[in-house]
Amino acid sequence: MKKWNFKSKSNPKVISKRLEAAVGPVNGFVFNMNHEKNNFITFKMRKRILYAWYLFFLNSIVVHGKLSQTDIENETDVEISFNQHFLWKLVIVTNIIAGFSILIAVFSRENSSVYMYLIGAILLAIGLLLWIRVQKKYERNIQEYQILISEILEA
């Protein structure tokens, strides 16, 4: 999870309207906004994933944000955190656990074939390679969201 904090020279209600207009469901995003009692506005957005294979191509980050009014009039504290989508975490952990499980099962037996070693090693390698690849994609997608949000707030 990465955090991004900054101040904007605009009212939280104006910012929330801009965000909702720019990244609403029409533009392929899932966007939820809650107006809290304590002058906080929280929002959550992510790209809509309709099919499982979209996870590999689309920006798969969940963005949580909080807009709060500061003591200065027309200034807003913006706190945004970026999280990886749960499905990516599930795919990576499943591959690594399956690879380790097969390797442990093969080592604990006396009669084990080379193919079982190979399958376990391949699953473990796929999990590790996916983890490295997803981390690079995660950093790139965070930059895309930061640019998108900056452009929305400057407009």
Side-chain angles (χ1 to χ4, degrees):
M1 177 170 71
K2 281 204 169 185
K3 292 196 176 211
W4 183 37
N5 298 326
F6 60 93
K7 292 187 188 290
S8 176
K9 295 183 179 183
S10 191
N11 191 348
K13 292 180 183 178
V14 172
I15 292 173
S16 68
K17 288 179 184 177
R18 282 188 203 159
L19 281 171
E20 194 165 10
V23 295
V26 175
N27 297 326
F29 286 89
V30 176
F31 186 78
N32 298 323
M33 185 171 292
N34 294 325
H35 297 276
E36 302 290 330
K37 297 176 184 175
N38 302 338
N39 293 330
F40 290 116
I41 299 173
T42 59
F43 63 91
K44 178 181 174 182
M45 71 179 185
R46 64 176 170 81
K47 285 263 185 152
R48 184 178 308 276
I49 297 176
L50 298 176
Y51 304 106
W53 56 87
Y54 279 13
L55 182 65
F56 298 107
F57 302 112
L58 291 180
N59 190 339
S60 58
I61 292 183
V62 179
V63 178
H64 296 278
K66 184 169 101 173
L67 308 171
S68 59
Q69 181 74 36
T70 61
D71 295 334
I72 302 171
E73 189 176 333
N74 284 337
E75 188 175 80
T76 303
D77 277 332
V78 181
E79 299 174 17
I80 298 175
S81 64
F82 303 96
N83 297 321
Q84 279 184 329
H85 200 280
F86 173 72
L87 290 177
W88 266 122
K89 292 178 185 177
L90 184 67
V91 167
I92 291 169
V93 169
T94 302
N95 274 316
I96 291 175
I97 289 174
F100 273 131
S101 300
I102 291 173
L103 288 176
I104 289 171
V106 168
F107 285 130
S108 65
R109 293 173 139 190
E110 292 177 14
N111 298 356
S112 58
S113 68
V114 175
Y115 295 115
M116 291 303 287
Y117 284 113
L118 188 63
I119 290 171
I122 287 174
L123 281 175
L124 187 61
I126 288 172
L128 293 175
L129 290 174
L130 269 176
W131 181 43
I132 292 168
R133 174 77 174 115
V134 166
Q135 292 306 316
K136 289 180 183 177
K137 184 179 186 303
Y138 177 66
E139 294 296 325
R140 195 172 49 245
N141 291 342
I142 285 175
Q143 290 175 353
E144 291 173 6
Y145 268 118
Q146 287 176 338
I147 291 170
L148 175 70
I149 292 170
S150 298
E151 289 175 353
I152 291 169
L153 296 180
E154 288 176 2

